[in-house]
Structures are given as C-alpha cells and as structure tokens.
Amino acid sequence: MTQEYTASGLALLTCRSPAEVLCSPHNFTSPCGSHLPTEGRMSLSTDNMRVERASEAHRSGVTPTLDYASMPPLFVVADVVLILGLSILVDFLFSAQLSSGFEVTQPVGIGILAAVAFVLTTISRGLYKPWRMVRVVEEVRATMVNWTFAILVVATVIFCLKVAGSTSRVSTGAFAVLGFFALPAARWAMAVWLRRAIASGAVKGRATILVGDAGELAKVVPAHMLVRLGLNEVRRFSLSTPDGSAKELLSASDKDALKAALQFARQHHVEEIVLAMPWSDVDRLDAVRARLRSVPLPVKLLPDEIISELLDAPRVDFGSSIAIEVQRAPLSRLELAQKRLLDIAVASCAVLLLLPLFAIIATAIKLDSRGPVIFRQRRNGFGGREFTIYKFRSMTVMEDGTKVVQAQRNDKRVTRVGRFLRASSLDELPQVLNVLFGQMSIVGPRPHAIAHDDEYSKLISGYAFRHHVKPGITGWAQVQGFRGETAELEQMERRIEMDLWYINNWSVWIDMKIILKTFVEVLRKEAY
C-alpha cells in the first residue's frame, strides 16, 4: 500500500491505523527548504491564492480541459523551451550585429546546460508543484535564485572544459542577464494563468469524496483540496460526533452515511476517498475503514489538527520505517553545493579585485607598528572542528589562549591603522582565504574565539547549534546591527538568536541579501 504526503505539510496518508501509518517506510523530501518557513495547513482562512471559486466552478458544470497531474511537466517544458530559445536568440542577434557567421552548436549547448541546471534545481525544491506555482512572489524570487545557480554551473563548466576562448563572453553574459528578466516574467505569467484556470474550473483533479466527523470536515476547504492536493471534491459525507456513551463504535446514522458514500462512489466514478477523522480514536477509524473495503478505491486519511503540527517537520527514512526529524541538518547536498558555488565565486572575485588593497593595507600595518601583518587565531568551525582564522592585525597583542579579552570602545591595544581597519571592517578581508580553503563561508554565524565559545556554550541554550553551518565573514546578526562588542550576556543571546534563525531559514536568496546589506551596515555603523 502506498502513502502520499503533500509538500505543504498537509499529508494524505494511505488509510491504515495511525500507528501503522507513522511506522511505514516512506521517502520524504522536504521542499527548499525546508529550509524555508513552515508552509500553511488546510484551514478556513483565505490565503493569497484566491481560488475559493474552484469547487463552485466544478459543481456548476464547467468542463475541465487540463489534468492537475500534467501541470508540473508542462511547466518544465515551458522553462526548457524558454531558456533554450533565449540562448539561441541572443547568440543569433549578436552574430548578426557583428556580421559574423551564426553557429547554432554553441548556444544550444549553453542553453541545454543552463536549462538542465535550472530545472533540476527547481524540481529539487518542489517549485513545479501547482500549489507552489500560484504563489507569485515566492516563485519569482526562487526563480532568480535558481537562475543564479544555473549561470554559476554554466560558468564553471566553461572554465573546467577550457572552452572560454571559443565562447562568446558578450552573448553568454547577455543571455545570463536577460534570463533574470525573462524567467521571472514567465513564472509570473504561468502563475497568473494557473490561478485563473483553477478559479474557472478548467483544471481537473481526481474526483474525490470526503468522509469524516463534522469538526474535521469543517477545516477542509474544497478549493484548497484542488490547489494543494490535486483533488476535486464532488461530495462530502458527515459522520456523527461520538459522545463516548454509545456502545457501538458506529451509530446507525454513521452506517447510513457510509452506505450512501459507497453507493455514490460506485455510481459517479469516484477515484478515491478521503477521511477526515481524529487519529486518536483508532478503533472507530478501523471500523470506518472496514466498511470502506467493499469498494476497490484508495482511501486516504488527512492528518487531524494535532498530527498536522508534527507533519510540518521533515520526514526521513529510519531503517525500515520513517521518523519525524525534530532537528534537521540545516542544508541538503544540493543546498551545500549552491552555497559553495556562491562562496567560491564571491571569494575569487574579491581576491582578484582587492589584491592592490591588500598590499596597501599590509604596508600600512608594517609602517605603523611592530609585529606580523596577519593576525591568526584558533576558532571553531563547522561541526566544532578547529581552524585558524586570518585577519589583518589591528592590535598590539596576538591573544589566542584560554582567556581572550574582546575589543572595547577606545581600546588602547588597537593601533592607529588598526582603528581604521576595524571601523571599516577591512581587517576581515583575509578571511576570503578561509573561504577558498573551505573553512568558512561568505555568509554564516561569525566565529568566536575558542575561549568565548567555551564560555557562552555554558550560558546560552542552543549556542552549539551555530556550528551546524560554516562560520561566515558576515552574517544575519551582523546586518541586523549586532556587530562589535557583546559586553552584556543579553547582547550575545540576541546575536545567537539571529544566527539560529539564519541556519533554520537559509536560502541563496538570503545569502545574497545579507551580502548586499553588509556594505550598508559597514557604512552605517562602525565597529571597534
């Protein structure tokens, strides 16, 4: 018997006893992550999709022309055609402008590579699912992030294959830039079209009847059934609410309702039955299931209100069963690859562009005070593994022991050049080498001295969770104003709170946002 889970956390489970359902093997993939905020559950509230007319259109006799299950493949084909066509068009236009011969092989190769990278990333994040597609703002933002990753893949492949000399950098660059406009515009158009198609009843889901207690049925909105689950509710049958005093599990009215549901299913070509009942009443649930066995249809069980809370968490394979992951790994392999590509791209550009500045700062430090140019200190990185961090020396001391005193305002240990470096955060620049070495990331929780790690891990709950990602040159806490000294424990607690939010909600989009905001924050507030 199979199981189905919806990406929104509103799972549909093959109807067995709740104990069997929770212990059944199932491979669940958390969307984008999931690393993104908890998605909404089925409720009576009106969301921004505004598709409440879908079920009414279905009942009013509008003939659906599109199958719900065909939507994701349709969107995939549309993206591939758009990307490939854009690559060919741009190269053709540049060839015509330069009066050079047009060779289709190169733009086709680049277009296919970009399309594959873009589509696979989008699929892995569950963004082709119709209930995600109708969220215009989220889709447009995710499209820009996925396109960034696709272009990084194209650039990496061109570099590794050593074909940069024969590749038109102008047309490839124009292709990349135009993609940032064409793809979000196409995604917006797809979302608008899909919302209208659903609202008009032109999209056909699987014909479904709902059976359940009145209280649970009241929480199920028919239009959401279509958008989120691909189900067209054609009718619902309400069971009585048990009062605990009845001798039988099912009352006479319950039996009549189930009989009517079975008869309706046989006569109206119903494709499946969905139950909306409390999971805690296992015996009554089994009694209902036993009655429904007389029809050869799949019977699915919606999670009740309590179970829905648990199902918002990711599910993972756990031997021959599944488990609810109460503390997840912050990044999947694909997300780690995306973050690493962004790190390498930004750090490599920074090294190439800032080499003259590095030389000027190094000379100024040597002329200003005695001591090495580079300050080295042991820090804890990913998984608590120790590494050596690099900074331009800004103080007269090189502390790296069991006791490290944080820099304070008007600290006498800070040199004249060091005061400027710290105020402008230029002392942090050598950490791009830590990024290239794979010890740090451009964005992440700021690494603290080992002495401070040992101290704060005893005082602040959840402090150790910061080591679930690589430390960063900048971070969410820093762009929210939590830079510099943390003289009070409360200041460090707020910084850790920001770091934990970043870890649990990571996305490439957030990293790019933090990088841009870092420049503003450096200009707005000086460190010391």
Side-chain angles (χ1 to χ4, degrees):
M1 300 180 74
T2 60
Q3 302 176 21
E4 295 181 13
Y5 291 93
T6 68
S8 64
L10 225 174
L12 277 177
L13 305 172
T14 300
C15 184
R16 292 177 285 181
S17 68
E20 291 178 57
V21 171
L22 286 177
C23 297
S24 302
H26 180 74
N27 182 22
F28 177 85
T29 303
S30 179
C32 44
S34 11
H35 35 37
L36 296 173
T38 301
E39 288 122 7
R41 291 185 296 278
M42 197 171 294
S43 66
L44 288 172
S45 61
T46 302
D47 60 18
N48 63 344
M49 292 180 286
R50 300 183 183 278
V51 293
E52 284 72 10
R53 300 192 305 273
S55 60
E56 297 177 9
H58 176 80
R59 294 193 186 100
S60 65
V62 176
T63 303
T65 58
L66 297 170
D67 188 77
Y68 183 91
S70 69
M71 294 295 101
L74 181 63
F75 297 141
V76 169
V77 171
D79 280 341
V80 171
V81 170
L82 175 61
I83 294 173
L84 187 57
L86 188 64
S87 178
I88 296 173
L89 177 62
V90 169
D91 195 81
F92 174 78
L93 292 176
F94 272 92
S95 298
Q97 184 71 23
L98 299 175
S99 300
S100 59
F102 173 63
E103 176 58 51
V104 74
T105 305
Q106 178 179 299
V108 167
I110 291 176
I112 291 175
L113 180 59
V116 169
F118 179 84
V119 167
L120 290 180
T121 305
T122 305
I123 290 175
S124 70
R125 299 178 63 186
L127 297 174
Y128 282 121
K129 296 178 180 179
W131 69 271
R132 296 290 295 269
M133 287 292 296
V134 294
R135 298 182 175 182
V136 181
V137 176
E138 293 181 14
E139 278 289 308
V140 168
R141 185 174 64 182
T143 298
M144 296 180 69
V145 172
N146 293 348
W147 183 242
T148 300
F149 175 71
I151 292 302
L152 288 175
V153 170
V154 171
T156 302
V157 170
I158 291 175
F159 175 79
C160 292
L161 295 181
K162 298 181 179 180
V163 293
S166 59
T167 303
S168 173
R169 286 172 290 182
V170 176
S171 62
T172 303
F175 166 61
V177 172
L178 288 176
F180 281 107
F181 296 94
L183 284 168
R187 184 63 82 246
W188 175 83
M190 290 179 190
V192 171
W193 170 81
L194 180 58
R195 291 171 69 170
R196 291 178 178 175
I198 291 174
S200 66
V203 175
K204 179 183 69 174
R206 298 186 303 279
T208 304
I209 60 173
L210 258 67
V211 178
D213 295 345
E216 292 294 331
L217 287 176
K219 301 170 187 174
V220 182
V221 179
H224 294 181
M225 290 280 288
L226 175 60
V227 175
R228 298 179 179 177
L229 309 178
L231 304 176
N232 264 336
E233 180 194 334
V234 293
R235 190 164 175 180
R236 59 177 61 186
F237 298 85
S238 180
L239 305 177
S240 61
T241 303
D243 56 9
S245 61
K247 295 181 180 180
E248 294 186 352
L249 295 171
L250 298 176
S251 66
S253 62
D254 290 340
K255 295 175 183 178
D256 289 340
L258 291 172
K259 183 178 179 180
L262 294 173
Q263 184 177 1
F264 185 90
R266 293 189 185 101
Q267 295 176 350
H268 294 83
H269 305 289
V270 170
E271 297 179 68
E272 61 184 70
I273 300 173
V274 174
L275 295 180
M277 299 177 63
W279 283 34
S280 57
D281 197 346
V282 178
D283 293 335
R284 187 162 178 268
L285 184 57
D286 284 341
V288 171
R289 187 182 61 168
R291 293 266 174 174
L292 297 177
R293 283 179 180 150
S294 60
V295 290
L297 294 175
V299 179
K300 309 289 179 63
L301 173 64
L302 287 173
D304 60 17
E305 188 173 1
I306 297 175
I307 297 299
S308 292
E309 296 289 340
L310 290 176
L311 293 179
D312 278 335
R315 269 75 65 191
V316 294
D317 287 330
F318 200 67
S320 60
S321 64
I322 63 169
I324 301 296
E325 193 172 45
V326 295
Q327 177 176 298
R328 64 179 290 269
L331 304 180
S332 66
R333 290 183 179 180
L334 177 61
E335 291 169 335
L336 286 171
Q338 289 178 315
K339 188 169 178 62
R340 184 59 182 156
L341 274 174
L342 180 64
D343 286 342
I344 292 174
V346 175
S348 299
C349 292
V351 170
L352 293 175
L353 295 175
L354 298 177
L355 274 178
L357 180 60
F358 280 24
I360 294 173
I361 293 174
T363 302
I365 292 173
K366 293 298 292 184
L367 294 176
D368 181 56
S369 60
R370 298 178 59 182
V373 171
I374 299 297
F375 167 71
R376 296 174 175 85
Q377 190 179 69
R378 292 174 300 123
R379 302 284 174 97
N380 286 326
F382 178 70
R385 290 191 288 271
E386 191 176 294
F387 74 99
T388 300
I389 195 172
Y390 303 118
K391 301 176 69 173
F392 282 124
R393 182 176 60 84
S394 60
M395 304 177 75
T396 57
V397 296
M398 300 281 287
E399 294 177 338
D400 187 23
T402 57
K403 184 177 181 180
V404 176
V405 180
Q406 279 190 339
Q408 304 172 10
R409 193 178 296 276
N410 301 320
D411 197 314
K412 295 182 179 180
R413 298 172 299 167
V414 178
T415 63
R416 289 174 297 178
V417 171
R419 187 167 292 108
F420 169 75
L421 295 178
R422 296 178 69 88
S424 58
S425 294
L426 292 175
D427 60 322
E428 311 285 358
L429 290 182
Q431 288 164 43
V432 295
L433 299 177
N434 291 113
V435 173
L436 292 176
F437 295 156
Q439 300 162 333
M440 292 180 64
S441 179
I442 295 295
V443 180
R446 285 293 299 155
H448 300 146
I450 291 180
H452 295 158
D453 270 351
D454 294 339
E455 176 186 356
Y456 289 122
S457 61
K458 299 174 184 177
L459 300 175
I460 301 175
S461 175
Y463 184 89
F465 196 71
R466 301 173 77 252
H467 301 310
H468 280 223
V469 296
K470 291 180 182 179
I473 298 178
T474 184
W476 183 245
Q478 282 63 48
V479 299
Q480 295 300 312
F482 293 91
R483 294 174 63 218
E485 182 188 12
T486 52
E488 303 293 333
L489 181 61
E490 183 180 354
Q491 293 175 297
M492 181 59 75
E493 288 176 337
R494 287 288 293 149
R495 179 183 289 186
I496 301 308
E497 181 182 334
M498 298 289 179
D499 289 339
L500 299 187
W501 181 92
Y502 168 79
I503 294 172
N504 288 320
N505 295 278
W506 177 88
S507 70
V508 173
W509 177 264
I510 290 178
D511 270 7
M512 295 168 64
K513 180 179 178 180
I514 291 173
I515 291 172
L516 294 175
K517 290 189 70 173
T518 296
F519 294 104
V520 177
E521 184 64 20
V522 167
L523 295 174
R524 188 181 69 86
K525 178 183 176 182
E526 293 186 354
Y528 47 88

